[in-house]
Amino acid sequence: GYRYALLAAVCLTTFGVPPETRGADFFTLQTRSMRLVYYAPQHAYIVPHLARSFENALTFHKRLFDYTPSEDVLVFLQDYDDYGYAGATGIPRNYMILGIEPYEYTYETSPTNERFNWVTTHELTHIVATDMAAPTDRVFRSLFQGKVLPVSEDPLSMFYSYLTTPRKYSPRWYHEGIAVFMETWMSGGIGRAINGFDEMTFRTMVRDSNFFYDFVGLESEGTTIDFQIGANSYLYGTRFVSYLGKEYGPGKVIEWFARSDTSDAYFASHFERVFGRDLDDEWSRWIRFEREWQRANLDSL
């Protein structure tokens, strides 16, 4: 049922449904930059607030990253699960899914000023980081008539996909790190980048002399050993990006994640261009900083 609803939502928006009309048990709302699809009239009360949160967040992203969207974002609002969640992608279309359910905090903490403001900020960062295009990206998007979605039946499609959206093929810690950084920035400092849970995690790692992954090991092993599968991408990515902001300033961080006319397609090559240092070396510097910082905190305690 869940996948059917997503497919139906995509079909409705692909073939066009007039704004705020009902068809096939779905409702749609068109704003300047978003087409919202939802299926229950009981959800209508949250639609105006969601639309405002979305447009406010996108306006900020467009100004900060000098970003011009290639298309509207399709947003699907649903209530199929016990707990809320969200996800976003920029290929083959700009798409976001939002769960209206309350979030589950048993094994995680997500401080926010307001949930829909927070989640639209976070998820739109993923779309911005993927959809932003340099001239070469736009050439290949024109050649292939859009952003190519890789399919397992045709491995070569990944190569074509990289040509149209190269930053999509960056590690998850890269994408989650900047998304959490932005969610915290745009919520006035209330977010996971300034979070007691993350601080406690790394302080405990230092106290127990635990192993810190490098950025390659994090993707090969570190994202699978965690019982939540993927939480380490948020922890390491957020901490590393926040460290860069502290050491070099937020402007450099934004420059690294932006896909401009003069940027490198590969995220690690562009890191060296922006910061003048090898990514692996800077990651090691961050680990040394983290150990010294947390050891000082432990000593003071």
Side-chain angles (χ1 to χ4, degrees), residues 20-135:
E20 297 185 303
T21 61
R22 183 175 183 178
D25 295 324
F26 284 91
F27 299 89
T28 67
L29 173 68
Q30 180 73 50
T31 70
R32 289 176 301 173
S33 309
M34 170 190 73
R35 171 159 284 192
L36 174 67
V37 177
Y38 61 104
Y39 57 86
Q42 294 84 357
H43 298 165
Y45 77 96
I46 200 67
V47 167
H49 173 59
L50 173 57
R52 286 192 297 267
S53 296
F54 178 95
E55 291 293 344
N56 288 341
L58 184 59
T59 298
F60 187 91
H61 283 313
K62 288 164 66 175
R63 183 173 64 251
L64 185 67
F65 288 93
D66 192 22
Y67 166 59
T68 301
S70 64
E71 60 190 355
D72 287 353
V73 180
L74 167 61
V75 180
F76 182 52
L77 182 66
Q78 57 86 14
D79 188 19
Y80 294 143
D81 304 277
D82 293 329
Y83 298 106
Y85 74 99
T89 183
I91 58 172
R93 301 288 299 274
N94 293 339
Y95 172 71
M96 182 189 304
I97 182 170
L98 299 179
I100 201 172
E101 312 87 359
Y103 275 61
E104 195 271 326
Y105 295 112
T106 303
Y107 293 111
E108 64 177 344
T109 176
S110 299
T112 66
N113 61 348
E114 194 286 316
R115 185 157 63 89
F116 275 99
N117 173 69
W118 160 65
V119 77
T120 52
T121 297
H122 180 102
E123 300 303 337
L124 276 172
T125 304
H126 292 320
I127 292 176
V128 172
T130 304
D131 188 49
M132 288 189 74

Side-chain angles (χ1 to χ4, degrees), residues 3-286:
R3 287 187 173 85
Y4 173 78
L6 290 183
L7 178 61
V10 172
C11 288
L12 284 172
T13 54
T14 299
F15 295 106
V17 178
E20 297 185 303
T21 61
R22 183 175 183 178
D25 295 324
F26 284 91
F27 299 89
T28 67
L29 173 68
Q30 180 73 50
T31 70
R32 289 176 301 173
S33 309
M34 170 190 73
R35 171 159 284 192
L36 174 67
V37 177
Y38 61 104
Y39 57 86
Q42 294 84 357
H43 298 165
Y45 77 96
I46 200 67
V47 167
H49 173 59
L50 173 57
R52 286 192 297 267
S53 296
F54 178 95
E55 291 293 344
N56 288 341
L58 184 59
T59 298
F60 187 91
H61 283 313
K62 288 164 66 175
R63 183 173 64 251
L64 185 67
F65 288 93
D66 192 22
Y67 166 59
T68 301
S70 64
E71 60 190 355
D72 287 353
V73 180
L74 167 61
V75 180
F76 182 52
L77 182 66
Q78 57 86 14
D79 188 19
Y80 294 143
D81 304 277
D82 293 329
Y83 298 106
Y85 74 99
T89 183
I91 58 172
R93 301 288 299 274
N94 293 339
Y95 172 71
M96 182 189 304
I97 182 170
L98 299 179
I100 201 172
E101 312 87 359
Y103 275 61
E104 195 271 326
Y105 295 112
T106 303
Y107 293 111
E108 64 177 344
T109 176
S110 299
T112 66
N113 61 348
E114 194 286 316
R115 185 157 63 89
F116 275 99
N117 173 69
W118 160 65
V119 77
T120 52
T121 297
H122 180 102
E123 300 303 337
L124 276 172
T125 304
H126 292 320
I127 292 176
V128 172
T130 304
D131 188 49
M132 288 189 74
T136 53
D137 307 341
R138 291 191 285 269
V139 167
F140 285 112
R141 290 181 189 185
S142 176
L143 178 64
F144 298 133
Q145 299 184 11
K147 294 171 285 186
V148 178
L149 178 69
V151 293
S152 57
E153 295 79 8
D154 184 6
L156 192 58
S157 63
M158 183 179 292
F159 171 71
Y160 299 136
S161 182
Y162 180 85
L163 294 177
T164 59
T165 52
R167 292 292 176 84
K168 175 68 175 177
Y169 296 90
S170 305
R172 190 176 182 186
W173 63 259
Y174 170 93
H175 287 287
E176 300 301 348
I178 186 59
V180 174
F181 186 83
M182 292 304 303
E183 85 184 31
T184 308
W185 184 350
M186 295 174 64
S187 297
I190 303 175
R192 286 172 287 183
I194 305 176
N195 181 6
F197 179 84
D198 290 30
E199 187 75 17
M200 176 193 70
T201 298
F202 285 98
R203 191 168 302 171
T204 303
M205 291 172 64
V206 171
R207 185 200 64 180
D208 296 345
S209 300
N210 286 352
F211 175 75
F212 278 68
Y213 289 103
D214 60 26
F215 72 90
V216 176
L218 177 62
E219 288 301 300
S220 59
E221 180 185 6
T223 57
T224 59
I225 61 165
D226 159 40
F227 77 97
Q228 289 184 278
I229 309 300
N232 276 338
S233 295
Y234 290 81
L235 287 168
Y236 278 78
T238 299
R239 206 71 176 180
F240 180 62
V241 173
S242 298
Y243 159 81
L244 293 176
K246 173 186 175 299
E247 292 294 306
Y248 300 97
K252 285 289 187 181
V253 172
I254 298 304
E255 185 181 352
W256 179 34
F257 285 92
R259 181 75 171 114
S260 66
D261 291 354
T262 59
S263 65
D264 293 318
Y266 184 47
F267 77 101
S269 299
H270 193 52
F271 181 92
E272 189 168 354
R273 176 192 292 266
V274 171
F275 293 98
R277 302 182 63 90
D278 179 75
L279 176 57
D280 191 42
D281 291 342
E282 193 63 34
W283 188 279
S284 298
R285 289 188 66 199
W286 159 62

